[in-house]
């Protein structure tokens, strides 16, 4: 993992590596979304599941490409693919937090594992804010709408929604952070055990 | 460069989408041939409209407009599917709203509300996946001056999706041969171990594919700094102008309708 950063920009090989592992990460966002999406409350834990599973991909990109762009480009690509499917907020949050992660990792020349873990947590947090954020937004709106509907007691509906989302997100946010740190550790374990020996990273 | 790659991709994609009816798809595509840049704008516009439409009627109107566009783009089946999905959810909502005093029913109506709210995403997905080839998307992005550092990985990403499933099924076969079948039970029994068994060979293969793909792309001149040509050059025709006007007009009408209410 302790290589000197090369001055040259991203090669086609780096871009292909980023592209392929981003495809896997994007597929993971969809798979975790479908797995948890059947129950809306569980859906808040989709980013946590994504955080565990995508750790190895993220670590492989960061250690194999090992240059500026290794974190922000996957973040932007996932954002663009989500935007094309109607989720523009993912692009905004992942772009912003991906950039922050990139700056932190670049400061240590992509050599410090701790910096990469922070970058990865920011990456997953960006996905959480982008993918889950709109739910809060639309729930407020649902509440405002339910007042005008006949047969709904607004205070009552509010209590149900608050219990469902308020309490669950209080659990989901720390779980997501811990899961993404765990995913990063899982990624490093795989890197050390398999990919470094095989001479890939 | 990638336009060249993409011509192949779009053909292959057509094969994937229709199960061998590539010729039919190509013929289908020729009669509309709307500029992909306009479609890209449409996707962005309809995605953002989710945040502007606040009423049930506005939401339904947006779905109706989307279905109209899907039918115009020769995707009537997709339009029908969207109509059935949205209609079914609306019906369910109507049926359940009578019994909203029960806790469980209120929770279910919230789920239905959210699903219905986001159902235009289904239409947007069809616009993106079925109404546009990868080649069209990339040449549109290129024309919009998106940097190559984004376009090349995006091309790779979009091409790679079908491969992911193939690779995973190969790895499942190998695991079964080695006496460690990947099933729900075995996964629950030792989750981290099974993840490792799947991830390590999968990622090894991905790394190799990345190397081969980049070698192939370099051989085709992807690093050539000169301007790349496209097999189907983008042209903004009068049909695109009409489509664009209808798109902007209908979106403006929807938002105006919401604002006036």
């Amino acid at each position: 993992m302790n290589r000197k950063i090369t001055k040259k920009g991203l090669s086609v090989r780096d871009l292909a590596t980023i592209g392929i592992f981003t495809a896997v990460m994007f597929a993971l966002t969809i798979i975790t979304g479908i797995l948890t999406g059947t129950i809306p409350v569980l859906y808040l834990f989709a980013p946590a599941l994504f955080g565990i599973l995508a750790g190895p991909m993220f670590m492989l990109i960061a250690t194999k490409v090992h240059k500026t762009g290794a974190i922000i480009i996957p973040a932007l690509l996932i954002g663009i693919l989500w935007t094309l499917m109607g989720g523009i907020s993912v692009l905004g949050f992942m772009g912003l937090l991906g950039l922050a992660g990139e700056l932190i990792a670049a400061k240590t020349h992509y050599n410090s594992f701790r910096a990469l873990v922070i970058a990865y947590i920011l990456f997953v947090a960006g996905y959480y804010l982008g993918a889950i954020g709109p739910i809060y937004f639309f729930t407020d709106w649902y509440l405002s709408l339910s007042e005008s509907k006949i047969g709904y007691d607004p205070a009552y509906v509010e209590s149900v929604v608050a219990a469902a989302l308020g309490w669950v997100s209080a659990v989901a946010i720390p779980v997501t952070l811990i899961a993404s740190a765990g995913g990063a550790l899982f990624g490093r374990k795989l890197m050390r055990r398999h990919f470094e020996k095989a001479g890939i990273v | 460069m990638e336009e060249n790659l993409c011509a192949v991709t779009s053909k292959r994609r057509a094969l994937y989408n229709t199960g061998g009816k590539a010729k039919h798809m190509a013929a289908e595509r020729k009669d509309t041939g709307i500029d992909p840049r306009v479609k890209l704008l449409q996707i962005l516009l309809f995605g953002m409209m989710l945040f502007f439409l606040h009423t049930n009627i506005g939401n339904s109107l947006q779905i109706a407009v989307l279905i109209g566009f899907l039918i115009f783009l020769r995707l009537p089946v997709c339009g029908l599917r969207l109509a059935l999905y949205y209609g079914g959810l609306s019906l369910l909502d109507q049926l359940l709203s009578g019994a909203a005093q029960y806790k469980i029913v209120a929770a279910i109506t919230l789920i239905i509300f959210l699903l219905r709210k986001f159902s235009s995403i289904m239409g947007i997905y069809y616009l993106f996946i079925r109404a546009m080839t990868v080649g069209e998307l990339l040449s549109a992005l290129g024309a919009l001056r998106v940097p190559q550092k984004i376009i090349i990985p995006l091309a790779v990403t979009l091409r790679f999706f079908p491969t992911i499933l193939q690779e995973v099924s190969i790895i499942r076969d190998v695991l079964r041969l080695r006496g460690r079948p990947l099933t729900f039970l075995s996964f629950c029994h030792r989750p981290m171990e099974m993840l490792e068994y799947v991830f390590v060979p999968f990622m090894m293969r991905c790394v190799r594919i990345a190397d081969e793909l980049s070698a192939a792309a370099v051989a085709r001149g992807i690093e050539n700094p000169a301007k790349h040509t496209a097999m189907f050059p983008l042209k903004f025709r009068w049909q695109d102008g009409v489509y664009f006007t209808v798109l902007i007009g209908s979106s403006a009408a929807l938002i105006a309708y919401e604002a006036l209410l």
Side-chain angles (χ1 to χ4, degrees):
Chain A
M1 262 168 112
N2 278 319
R3 268 189 299 156
K4 268 222 172 123
I5 188 161
T6 38
K7 275 274 173 283
K8 236 182 116 207
L10 295 160
S11 65
V12 174
R13 198 167 161 218
D14 295 330
L15 292 176
T17 309
I18 290 174
I20 282 182
F21 285 100
T22 304
V24 179
M25 284 201 273
F26 180 73
L28 284 175
T29 66
I30 300 293
I31 292 166
T32 54
I34 291 170
L35 279 181
T36 58
T38 42
I39 306 161
V41 169
L42 255 184
Y43 184 67
L44 296 186
F45 293 95
L49 200 57
F50 168 75
I52 296 174
L53 295 177
M57 316 294 161
F58 183 89
M59 283 296 153
L60 191 77
I61 294 178
T63 50
K64 188 169 160 61
V65 173
H66 216 254
K67 276 173 213 151
T68 308
I71 293 159
I72 184 73
I73 292 179
L76 284 177
L77 284 177
I78 293 176
I80 288 172
L81 290 169
W82 269 80
T83 304
L84 292 173
M85 287 176 32
I88 198 161
S89 52
V90 178
L91 179 61
F93 282 115
M94 284 199 88
L96 224 68
L97 292 180
L99 185 67
E102 180 83 55
L103 292 174
I104 291 168
K107 227 174 191 174
T108 61
H109 302 287
Y110 303 87
N111 283 332
S112 148
F113 176 68
R114 208 172 293 168
L116 285 181
V117 171
I118 293 170
Y120 182 62
I121 289 175
L122 288 173
F123 185 85
V124 178
Y127 174 60
Y128 183 93
L129 289 172
I132 307 295
I135 285 187
Y136 298 104
F137 180 83
F138 286 115
T139 313
D140 285 348
W141 179 8
Y142 172 79
L143 292 177
S144 69
L145 206 73
S146 67
E147 284 169 28
S148 61
K149 267 196 186 173
I150 312 148
Y152 280 59
D153 178 14
Y156 173 74
V157 176
E158 202 160 337
S159 74
V160 173
V161 172
L165 292 183
W167 185 80
V168 175
S169 55
V171 180
I173 291 167
V175 165
T176 305
L177 295 178
I178 293 166
S180 49
L185 280 170
F186 178 50
R188 183 168 76 157
K189 197 184 121 197
L190 289 193
M191 290 303 117
R192 287 216 168 136
R193 248 167 89 169
H194 302 281
F195 291 86
E196 273 173 29
K197 276 185 203 155
I200 283 173
V201 296
Chain B
M1 38 134 257
E2 77 267 20
E3 278 86 352
N4 259 337
L5 287 173
C6 296
V8 180
T9 319
S10 63
K11 242 189 245 161
R12 222 199 238 170
R13 207 179 164 81
L15 275 170
Y16 271 109
N17 284 344
T18 59
K21 286 188 232 149
K23 229 186 202 168
H24 171 68
M25 283 283 280
E28 207 173 70
R29 199 158 273 129
K30 250 173 206 151
D31 16 355
T32 56
I34 295 297
D35 192 316
R37 283 170 291 187
V38 180
K39 287 184 201 156
L40 218 59
L41 179 83
Q42 182 177 18
I43 288 165
L44 282 178
L45 208 62
F46 275 72
M48 274 192 281
M49 240 198 280
L50 272 178
F51 295 89
F52 290 113
L53 301 177
H54 280 241
T55 60
N56 271 336
I57 298 173
N59 206 357
S60 312
L61 282 175
Q62 192 202 7
I63 297 290
V65 170
L66 255 174
I67 291 168
F69 275 113
L70 284 174
I71 291 170
F72 173 73
L73 292 167
R74 313 283 196 274
L75 297 166
V77 178
C78 298
L80 187 69
R81 251 184 241 159
L82 180 60
L84 285 177
Y85 179 73
Y86 188 78
L89 284 176
S90 303
L91 195 69
L92 220 61
D93 192 36
Q94 282 297 318
L95 287 176
L96 286 175
S97 63
Q101 66 270 26
Y102 302 107
K103 208 168 206 166
I104 183 84
V105 176
I108 291 170
T109 49
L110 172 64
I111 300 169
I112 291 171
F113 171 80
L114 287 174
L115 284 176
R116 200 156 64 101
K117 186 65 226 147
F118 288 107
S119 56
S120 61
I121 285 177
M122 189 171 160
I124 294 167
Y125 170 81
Y126 285 138
L127 280 178
F128 173 43
I129 297 290
R130 306 298 290 272
M132 223 180 346
T133 62
V134 181
E136 282 178 338
L137 175 67
L138 296 176
S139 45
L141 288 176
L144 296 171
R145 308 270 145 95
V146 176
Q148 290 286 306
K149 286 202 169 137
I150 299 287
I151 292 181
I152 295 172
L154 189 63
V156 175
T157 302
L158 292 173
R159 282 198 59 167
F160 193 66
F161 284 129
T163 318
I164 291 177
L165 290 176
Q166 275 175 359
E167 296 295 321
V168 170
S169 84
I170 291 169
I171 287 161
R172 285 191 65 167
D173 287 347
V174 172
L175 282 175
R176 207 178 306 133
L177 277 176
R178 298 227 169 174
R180 278 272 192 283
L182 176 67
T183 58
F184 185 70
L185 267 181
S186 69
F187 184 79
C188 290
H189 186 50
R190 286 179 179 156
M192 284 332 250
E193 211 167 275
M194 281 324 283
L195 271 185
E196 197 175 331
Y197 289 159
V198 176
F199 270 36
V200 172
F202 177 69
M203 287 164 74
M204 291 280 186
R205 290 187 74 109
C206 288
V207 168
R208 184 169 297 170
I209 290 169
D211 286 350
E212 283 170 3
L213 201 66
S214 55
V218 169
R220 289 174 196 217
I222 203 168
E223 284 174 325
N224 186 354
K227 200 176 179 300
H228 302 284
T229 53
M231 203 168 237
F232 302 104
L234 292 180
K235 243 188 264 160
F236 194 84
R237 303 159 308 154
W238 67 267
Q239 290 99 321
D240 302 321
V242 172
Y243 189 91
F244 182 75
T245 316
V246 173
L247 171 65
I248 296 294
S250 57
S251 313
L254 276 174
I255 290 171
Y257 174 81
E258 287 285 326
L260 290 177
L261 261 165

